[in-house]
């Protein structure tokens, strides 16, 4: 009989999270979208405060449009401040496996999730056999073909972009890969090595060619690992503008600027890279992450070698995105369609603002 492992999500203690605050006379859809940037009011709450800070009313955010009437407010809306709140918000810290269907002990959490501390809650997230635990942690749900952002394009031609990447243009100019005829000053770049408008004109065609040279590799990797190819490319553009020598301020690596936590997620949910990762102690887990980190690095490479390295390692970037998606749908199996990937995006960076940048 196969051994069953019980999976628990270790979450931060639930607390209300303020998404945004509004002070407005007329609550239009445009004003709300600009201030709060949320896709749905479902499950959110609106708290109404007087100007002196006293709580006046609390209502489901779905009633936001009729808040004057629902809260029996007196006078104009701009005599109050509105706070849009996500009640009982929790953030995923890590996952813990248990051989019995009981909430993990503090010792188990400390062993498998050393960064959780003592202030957390454990939520049952499902089961799998010990054999399954050594493989990818959840079956792929598949990505439907289509023209939408979260659909799979029919071929690599569906990944063509013409983004105005001024930072990439600056790197191409600064490193001598684009010849600028005459732009004066620093010859096409500013003090931060970002292309000036004049410099970008010289680099425009090279920027377009650069950002599309990886399309075939992205499409092949995305279809092989059931992640949306447009999303995978968009995240790379946002993270590094597909420049292989981008240095993250906190040690992020690769064209998706992978953090140590990102490597941990990859190894926890894609068990083919290191099948024994969850069973290792902290020191050996760190060693495993360091070994995996080398996959994304191209030491002492020239530009062409770095380009070739990106293409060769593209499947690992797709597997990284697949691992974050797997975690998202395991924590919340009710997620479907685009919502699966929106949660994946938020989890990858940890902020709603990042989702807005990706979906712009």
């Amino acid at each position: 009989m196969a051994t069953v492992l019980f999976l628990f999500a270790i979450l931060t203690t639930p607390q209300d999270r303020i998404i945004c605050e509004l002070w407005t006379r007329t609550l239009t859809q445009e004003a709300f979208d600009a201030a709060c940037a949320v896709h749905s009011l479902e499950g959110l709450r609106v708290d109404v405060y007087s100007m002196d800070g006293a709580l006046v009313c609390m209502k489901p955010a779905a009633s936001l449009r009729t808040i004057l009437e629902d809260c029996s407010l007196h006078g104009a809306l701009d005599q109050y401040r509105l706070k849009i709140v996500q009640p009982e918000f929790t953030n995923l810290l890590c996952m813990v496996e248990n051989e019995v269907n009981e909430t993990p002990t503090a010792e188990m959490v400390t062993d498998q999730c050393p960064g959780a501390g003592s202030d957390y809650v454990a939520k049952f997230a499902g089961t799998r056999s010990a054999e399954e635990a050594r493989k990818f942690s959840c079956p792929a749900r598949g990505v439907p073909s289509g023209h939408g952002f979260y659909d799979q394009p029919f071929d690599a031609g569906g990944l063509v972009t013409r983004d105005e990447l001024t930072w990439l243009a600056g790197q191409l100019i600064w490193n001598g890969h684009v010849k600028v005829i005459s732009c004066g000053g620093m010859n096409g770049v500013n003090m931060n090595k970002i292309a000036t408008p004049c410099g970008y004109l010289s680099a425009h065609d090279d920027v377009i060619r650069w950002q599309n040279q990886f399309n075939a590799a992205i499409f092949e990797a995305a279809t092989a690992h059931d992640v949306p190819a447009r999303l995978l490319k968009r995240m790379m553009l946002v993270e590094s503008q597909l420049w292989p020598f981008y240095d993250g301020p906190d040690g992020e690596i690769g064209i998706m600027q992978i953090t140590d936590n990102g490597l941990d997620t990859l190894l926890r949910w894609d068990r083919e890279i290191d099948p024994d990762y969850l069973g290792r102690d902290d020191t050996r887990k760190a060693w495993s992450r360091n070994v995996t980190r080398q996959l994304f690095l191209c030491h002492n490479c020239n530009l062409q070698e770095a380009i070739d390295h990106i293409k060769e390692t593209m499947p690992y970037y797709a597997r990284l995105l697949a691992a974050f998606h797997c975690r998202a749908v395991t924590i919340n199996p009710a997620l479907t369609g685009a919502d699966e990937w929106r949660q994946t995006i938020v989890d990858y960076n940890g902020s709603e603002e990042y989702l807005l940048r990706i979906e712009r």
Side-chain angles (χ1 to χ4, degrees):
M1 181 179 294
T3 301
V4 175
L5 297 176
F6 299 88
L7 191 65
F8 289 84
I10 305 303
L11 308 160
T12 56
T13 301
Q15 59 182 340
D16 289 353
R17 181 179 69 152
I18 297 175
I19 294 178
C20 63
E21 296 188 32
L22 291 85
W23 181 47
T24 179
R25 185 173 185 85
T26 304
L27 189 59
T28 63
Q29 184 67 47
E30 291 74 19
F32 175 75
D33 290 344
C36 296
V38 295
H39 297 282
S40 172
L41 295 177
E42 188 68 31
L44 301 181
R45 191 183 76 224
V46 56
D47 296 350
V48 182
Y49 290 83
S50 64
M51 297 304 289
D52 61 6
L55 179 63
V56 176
C57 178
M58 298 170 63
K59 291 287 184 180
S63 63
L64 189 61
R65 304 293 176 264
T66 58
I67 198 67
L68 277 169
E69 178 182 347
D70 292 348
C71 288
S72 301
L73 302 182
H74 303 287
L77 189 59
D78 60 2
Q79 297 178 25
Y80 302 88
R81 290 188 181 274
L82 310 180
K83 293 184 179 181
I84 307 302
V85 177
Q86 185 171 6
E88 299 295 294
F89 173 77
T90 58
N91 189 38
L92 177 67
L93 295 173
C94 70
M95 305 295 293
V96 171
E97 289 178 325
N98 197 355
E99 292 188 358
V100 294
N101 189 12
E102 297 177 358
T103 302
T105 64
E107 290 75 16
M108 293 180 63
V109 174
T110 299
D111 179 57
Q112 297 187 43
C113 187
S118 58
D119 188 17
Y120 62 84
V121 294
K123 176 183 176 182
F124 179 69
T127 62
R128 56 174 174 262
S129 70
E131 180 61 28
E132 290 173 334
R134 300 180 64 86
K135 300 177 182 178
F136 198 75
S137 300
C138 59
R141 297 190 179 188
V143 180
S145 299
H147 299 285
F149 185 64
Y150 297 110
D151 294 333
Q152 201 69 279
F154 297 99
D155 53 43
L159 295 178
V160 173
T161 54
R162 300 183 64 83
D163 289 11
E164 187 174 318
L165 306 176
T166 55
W167 188 88
L168 172 62
Q171 309 316 302
L172 293 172
I173 295 170
W174 183 265
N175 289 281
H177 304 297
V178 169
K179 184 176 181 180
V180 178
I181 303 302
S182 178
C183 283
M186 295 184 69
N187 201 27
V189 296
N190 63 20
M191 295 294 292
N192 296 317
K193 300 182 183 178
I194 299 174
T196 64
C198 175
Y200 190 79
L201 286 176
S202 299
H204 173 269
D205 291 347
D206 292 274
V207 168
I208 300 303
R209 281 194 293 270
W210 184 279
Q211 64 186 278
N212 289 298
Q213 67 181 315
F214 305 105
N215 288 352
I218 293 172
F219 178 77
E220 182 177 346
T223 52
H225 297 284
D226 286 306
V227 299
R230 293 186 186 91
L231 171 59
L232 183 61
K233 180 178 181 179
R234 177 64 185 157
M235 292 176 72
M236 293 173 177
L237 290 174
V238 168
E239 292 290 347
S240 67
Q241 298 195 8
L242 284 165
W243 180 249
F245 305 120
Y246 183 90
D247 293 322
D250 298 311
E252 303 92 333
I253 60 168
I255 54 173
M256 284 182 70
Q257 290 299 279
I258 307 165
T259 64
D260 193 61
N261 285 336
L263 291 170
D264 180 70
T265 298
L266 173 62
L267 290 167
R268 285 179 181 274
W269 295 92
D270 188 338
R271 303 296 171 76
E272 292 183 1
I273 298 176
D274 181 359
D276 299 319
Y277 183 73
L278 285 181
R280 299 186 186 278
D281 60 26
D282 292 347
T283 300
R284 288 180 173 82
K285 282 179 180 175
W287 173 83
S288 183
R289 292 195 298 275
N290 285 333
V291 171
T292 306
R293 184 178 286 107
Q294 303 311 308
L295 294 171
F296 298 96
L297 298 175
C298 190
H299 297 287
N300 301 317
C301 290
N302 60 34
L303 186 61
Q304 187 56 56
E305 289 170 339
I307 291 171
D308 293 341
H309 181 262
I310 289 174
K311 293 177 180 178
E312 291 169 2
T313 55
M314 195 63 72
Y316 285 101
Y317 288 103
R319 290 168 73 167
L320 175 70
L321 183 56
F324 271 90
H325 174 258
C326 182
R327 187 178 77 164
V329 297
T330 299
I331 298 302
N332 190 348
L335 290 172
T336 59
D339 287 339
E340 298 177 20
W341 296 105
R342 291 193 175 105
Q343 186 61 55
T344 300
I345 295 168
V346 172
D347 288 350
Y348 187 82
N349 178 269
S351 72
E352 293 282 350
E353 289 76 14
Y354 184 72
L355 174 61
L356 294 177
R357 291 177 63 197
I358 295 296
E359 290 192 326
R360 70 157 176 80

